[in-house]
Amino acid sequence: MDLLDYAFMQRALLAAVLVGVTAPAIGIYLVQRRQALMGDGIGHVAMTGVGLGFLLSASPVWTATAVSVLGAILMELIRWYGRTRGDIALAMLFYGGMAGGVMFINLAPGGSNANLTSYLFGSLSTVSPSDVTAICLLAGFVVLVTLGLRRQLFAVSQDEEFARVTGLPVRALNLLTAVTAAVTVTVAMRVVGLLLVSALMVVPVAAAQQLTRSFAATFAIAVAIGVTVTIGGTVTSYYQDVPPGATIVLLTIAAFVVLTVLAAPLARRRARAAAAAHPAGDPVECAIPAARGSDGKVGV
């Protein structure tokens, strides 16, 4: 493949693979927690970090990481304490993040809104060696958390009250999930963009759930889908000269549609098998035993 002859495409493919692994890995917990759009909100906040990076002449990846982590922590605090006006506070946080990004990048020397485009929608051709280093380090953190603490995170995502009763530090784990999601957003922003990253967190998980209900199987299939679509989108964008972020997201949605269609007959087959295994009537364990007389014969 001639695309591997170019250093920028080697960096792009490496970044795409890391994003394909990390986004569904944290996305499965967000879907379980019914916080599928959390990545989208963090993406809005991370725009301030990108603008701040340009203003301070620092790496936008690291400044976006710092700001998005703070934003994720604020979102969790609002979720805990902002019972009545939490939605308004979140809206101000999201829109303030977007406005801050636009303001900072225009205040930066030589900065303009055009500089934001590659971060909003992804630009694989501009992934620098320093970006790859940052993405590798951040992706390592995400994988370490999502795999190393998978049992604890799954328990908290399923039922916070039960997890609290069992002695798990629920609030600490919730904060860790939010921080990991924020880190994932900054890992993915160079590949799919801040405005599209949420799709790569959620849609592969939803597609995997069409085939299985097991957490481990869903996790593995979602990551496989994520890696496949990110590599496919990267290669397609190289040969067809199309936006990589949009291509990756459209391929992800296409995978969801295909798996949904394939899962329908599978679900019907499982239903027929279950019906054949348990025919209509009283279950065996619920059948009322016949009375026996003193002579041992079955009576009425």
Side-chain angles (χ1 to χ4, degrees):
M1 296 176 66
D2 60 329
L3 80 167
L4 294 179
D5 296 333
Y6 300 98
F8 78 93
M9 282 307 299
Q10 295 173 7
R11 295 192 296 269
L13 285 170
L14 176 58
V17 170
L18 293 175
V19 171
V21 172
T22 56
I26 187 61
I28 191 170
Y29 300 107
L30 298 181
V31 171
Q32 292 291 328
R33 290 156 57 97
R34 292 176 175 82
Q35 293 180 331
L37 296 180
M38 186 177 185
D40 189 50
I42 295 174
H44 286 68
V45 176
M47 288 177 61
T48 292
V50 173
L52 195 60
F54 280 96
L55 181 63
L56 301 177
S57 298
S59 170
V61 175
W62 290 115
T63 54
T65 301
V67 172
S68 59
V69 165
L70 289 175
I73 293 173
L74 279 175
M75 290 170 64
E76 273 300 301
L77 293 176
I78 290 171
R79 188 172 74 91
W80 294 344
Y81 301 113
R83 302 295 184 183
T84 55
R85 307 301 292 274
D87 55 340
I88 297 176
L90 286 174
M92 289 191 294
L93 182 64
F94 298 163
Y95 300 139
M98 295 179 65
V102 174
M103 180 62 70
F104 285 144
I105 204 166
N106 278 279
L107 291 175
S112 67
N113 290 341
N115 298 118
L116 275 176
T117 303
S118 63
Y119 292 91
L120 293 177
F121 303 104
S123 179
L124 289 172
S125 62
T126 60
V127 177
S128 65
S130 61
D131 288 337
V132 171
T133 301
I135 290 171
C136 288
L137 292 174
L138 296 172
F141 168 78
V142 173
V143 171
L144 185 65
V145 171
T146 54
L147 288 180
L149 296 175
R150 62 188 182 279
R151 296 182 185 277
Q152 294 87 337
L153 294 178
F154 175 76
V156 173
S157 300
Q158 286 292 104
D159 191 335
E160 286 190 7
E161 292 302 321
F162 178 77
R164 188 175 289 108
V165 169
T166 60
L168 289 175
V170 172
R171 288 196 170 182
L173 290 170
N174 281 336
L175 275 177
L176 183 61
T177 302
V179 169
T180 307
V183 171
T184 304
V185 168
T186 55
V187 168
M189 70 180 182
R190 298 298 274 155
V191 178
V192 294
L194 294 172
L195 297 183
L196 299 175
V197 61
S198 188
L200 200 56
M201 288 181 171
V202 174
V203 180
V205 177
Q209 287 178 335
Q210 303 303 309
L211 298 179
T212 179
R213 293 295 181 266
S214 164
F215 176 80
T218 301
F219 189 101
I221 294 174
V223 169
I225 293 171
V227 172
T228 301
V229 297
T230 49
I231 293 177
T234 302
V235 173
T236 302
S237 68
Y238 173 79
Y239 286 110
Q240 301 298 323
D241 193 23
V242 291
T247 305
I248 290 170
V249 171
L250 290 175
L251 286 176
T252 309
I253 295 173
F256 172 81
V257 172
V258 169
L259 290 181
T260 300
V261 172
L262 294 177
L266 180 62
R268 288 195 294 268
R269 191 177 301 114
R270 287 175 177 171
R272 286 196 297 267
H278 301 284
D282 290 334
V284 174
E285 62 271 16
C286 296
I288 301 174
R292 292 181 178 269
S294 58
D295 56 355
K297 295 182 179 180
V298 176
V300 179

